[in-house]
């Protein structure tokens, strides 16, 4: 249904429709202990870049709130924003009392400089005006602020092809969503007025086998899947450190400071 509408709807409407159906899938995705292990490692990778003294945090495209819960535990008063009210309903149950805002990341409703850190885990690629999105992030950050993102990386032609097929064929993606090359996402971030201080690929085997048990369910049936996930996480970290091999990374973590 999403695919029929996407030619006539705005992207914002299409994303709202799409994520209505995805909210229960996300809850399932994060419910397996082995998949939580992987997600927690991913979150730890992103959180490791939070500067000392950070107080005010925004999770842009917070979805069902599993990352937000970790941010709120470390930095009480964190804010989650998402375009999908259905996703936020899960967040509300999962992180009771956390500050949630239904809104469009391309039109952020916050005062300039309201946040020290803006996180964006997998939401930029759902938008169409990437520079606009990032410019809003910059406005929401103080001059000493920090943007920490993780987005799908398409530097590897095989990954790029697989993603293209998935985004075109699967009802769980929007046809206009797209991954980024490392160079491409750095350029977009710089065009929005940031200086990129880190761009590091993340996630290979653990990403594929533990990250999305709602799509790739094989680990669900394998005894010792938590140990296997830990092994994959370690292997992925090694792979992503080795030039050339790091092209196997499915995501790219970006850290950027307003110029
Ligand atoms: C891939 S999900 C990631 C959710 C969450 N960050 C996580 O890691 O589980 C992308 C999220 O971005 C949200 N999103 C898409 N377009 C958006 C927009 N323009 N403004 C705010 N949120 C948006 C979707 O509703 C969805 O919850």
């Amino acid at each position: 249904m999403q695919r029929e509408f996407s030619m006539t709807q705005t992207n914002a409407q299409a994303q709202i429709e799409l994520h209505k159906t995805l909210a229960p899938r996300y809850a399932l995705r994060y419910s397996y202990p082995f998949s939580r292990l992987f997600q927690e490692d991913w979150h730890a990778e992103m959180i490791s870049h939070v500067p000392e003294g950070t107080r005010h945090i925004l999770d842009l495209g917070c979805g069902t709130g599993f990352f937000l819960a970790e941010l709120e535990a470390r930095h009480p008063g964190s804010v989650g924003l998402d375009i999908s009210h259905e996703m936020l309903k899960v967040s509300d149950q999962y992180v009771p009392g956390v500050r949630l805002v239904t809104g469009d990341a391309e039109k952020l409703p916050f005062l300039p400089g309201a946040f020290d850190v803006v996180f964006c885990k997998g939401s930029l690629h759902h938008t169409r005006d990437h520079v606009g999105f990032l410019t809003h992030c910059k406005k929401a950050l103080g001059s000493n602020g920090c943007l920490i993102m993780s987005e799908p990386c398409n530097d590897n032609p095989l990954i790029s092809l697989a993603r293209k097929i998935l985004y075109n064929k699967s009802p769980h993606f929007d046809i206009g969503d797209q991954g980024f090359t490392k160079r491409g996402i750095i350029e977009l971030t710089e065009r929005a007025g940031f200086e990129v201080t880190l761009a590091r690929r993340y996630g290979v085997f653990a990403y594929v086998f533990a990250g999305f048990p709602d799509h790739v369910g094989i680990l669900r049936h394998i005894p010792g899947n938590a140990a296997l996930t830990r092994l994959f996480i370690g292997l992925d970290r090694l792979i992503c450190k080795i030039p050339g091999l790091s092209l196997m990374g499915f995501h790219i973590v970006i850290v950027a400071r307003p110029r």
Side-chain angles (χ1 to χ4, degrees):
M1 186 167 330
Q2 167 63 24
R3 316 191 93 64
E4 286 164 26
F5 284 151
S6 61
M7 298 306 285
T8 48
Q9 282 179 316
T10 64
N11 179 58
Q13 288 165 331
Q15 293 295 335
I16 291 167
E17 284 301 318
L18 174 66
H19 285 91
K20 248 184 214 166
T21 58
L22 291 189
R25 285 184 75 93
Y26 269 73
L28 175 74
R29 176 179 300 175
Y30 285 88
S31 69
Y32 297 96
F34 70 88
S35 125
R36 293 294 285 263
L37 266 180
F38 166 69
Q39 295 289 344
E40 281 163 15
D41 182 75
W42 193 354
H43 298 165
E45 163 64 34
M46 295 182 73
I47 290 172
S48 72
H49 303 293
V50 171
E52 286 283 313
T54 291
R55 289 178 57 216
H56 304 294
I57 290 197
L58 171 65
D59 185 10
L60 209 45
C62 64
T64 44
F66 297 99
F67 183 34
L68 185 60
E70 290 185 41
L71 297 175
E72 174 67 7
R74 288 173 170 81
H75 299 276
S78 294
V79 178
L81 178 140
D82 204 284
I83 203 163
S84 162
H85 190 62
E86 293 302 315
M87 296 288 270
L88 288 183
K89 279 205 264 186
V90 182
S91 279
D92 197 32
Q93 283 173 1
Y94 189 69
V95 210
V98 77
R99 294 194 226 172
L100 297 171
V101 180
T102 309
D104 187 345
E106 295 185 64
K107 302 171 197 152
L108 282 187
F110 302 112
L111 290 174
F115 298 98
D116 304 313
V117 171
V118 172
F119 278 103
C120 160
K121 177 170 168 256
S123 45
L124 177 68
H125 73 286
H126 287 296
T127 62
R128 301 296 170 257
D129 179 4
H130 300 132
V131 175
F133 176 111
L134 292 164
T135 305
H136 277 279
C137 291
K138 188 178 172 223
K139 274 190 204 142
L141 284 167
S143 52
N144 289 323
C146 183
L147 171 68
I148 305 173
M149 303 193 275
S150 184
E151 287 294 324
C153 182
N154 271 355
D155 281 327
N156 181 328
L158 288 176
I159 294 177
S160 171
L161 179 67
R163 225 172 231 136
K164 197 168 182 177
I165 295 170
L166 195 66
Y167 286 5
N168 276 278
K169 300 278 178 223
S170 166
H172 306 305
F173 295 88
D174 188 86
I175 215 154
D177 293 349
Q178 54 177 314
F180 303 95
T181 61
K182 181 176 175 181
R183 179 181 294 213
I185 196 166
I186 290 176
E187 271 173 22
L188 291 169
T189 311
E190 286 176 350
R191 274 171 55 199
F194 285 96
E195 180 193 355
V196 174
T197 56
L198 179 126
R200 181 190 287 163
R201 295 195 188 91
Y202 177 85
V204 186
F205 297 107
Y207 179 88
V208 172
F209 293 109
F212 307 92
D214 49 319
H215 291 292
V216 182
I218 185 163
L219 274 193
R220 283 159 50 182
H221 311 290
I222 295 185
N225 49 23
L228 210 51
T229 301
R230 279 196 196 92
L231 188 75
F232 284 155
I233 289 172
L235 191 62
D236 290 3
R237 284 203 179 271
L238 195 66
I239 290 172
C240 288
K241 274 189 190 143
I242 301 174
L245 271 190
S246 77
L247 277 175
M248 290 168 73
F250 277 76
H251 251 242
I252 184 148
V253 173
I254 297 281
V255 180
R257 300 288 202 149
R259 266 203 308 267

